Amino acid sequence: MVLISIIISIAASIISGMVLFFLKRYFDRKEKSEAEKEKSRQKENVLILKSIDAIGRLTYADAIAIRDGKTNGEMKDAVQSYIAIKSELYDYLLDQNSKSK
């Protein structure tokens, strides 16, 4: 009788240890995945803010050009900035889309 209770307690300890191990592994993987998603969201937000800033600079340069009746160096810089950030955001979104599939 004592031997059976010892075997049962050892089996229960082994089973509970395995269950805890697999649960910990599952939650560690889930936490790592969530951290990667959060990092991606942060980068996307930064790129979107840069894009909004580039559009604002382009709009400002356009307003100055309309007011003065001529384009200037501000317009050229704003257009280059807009093209650069547009390309960077587009590449990032393509990369993220390819990872999600």
Side-chain angles (χ1 to χ4, degrees):
M1 200 62 157
V2 173
L3 184 61
I4 293 175
S5 66
I6 291 173
I7 292 172
I8 290 174
S9 66
I10 290 173
S13 296
I14 290 171
I15 291 171
S16 65
M18 288 174 59
V19 167
L20 289 174
F21 170 77
F22 287 118
L23 280 174
K24 182 180 181 330
R25 191 169 77 170
Y26 169 77
F27 285 119
D28 287 346
R29 286 181 179 174
K30 187 173 181 175
E31 184 179 329
K32 183 179 177 184
S33 174
E34 289 297 319
E36 288 175 5
K37 287 179 184 179
E38 181 62 27
K39 187 176 179 182
S40 294
R41 279 191 289 262
Q42 287 175 349
K43 183 172 182 180
E44 184 175 342
N45 287 339
V46 167
L47 288 173
I48 289 171
L49 289 174
K50 283 182 178 180
S51 179
I52 291 170
D53 181 57
I55 291 170
R57 283 189 277 152
L58 185 59
T59 303
Y60 177 76
D62 194 30
I64 298 295
I66 291 172
R67 182 190 71 190
D68 296 344
K70 60 181 178 178
T71 59
N72 55 20
E74 288 183 33
M75 180 66 81
K76 183 178 178 182
D77 292 341
V79 169
Q80 289 175 347
S81 173
Y82 174 75
I83 290 171
I85 193 64
K86 178 182 166 189
S87 175
E88 186 179 355
L89 181 60
Y90 181 74
D91 291 343
Y92 174 76
L93 292 175
L94 282 178
D95 184 52
Q96 289 302 310
N97 190 31
S98 69
K99 286 181 183 178
S100 67
K101 291 184 178 182

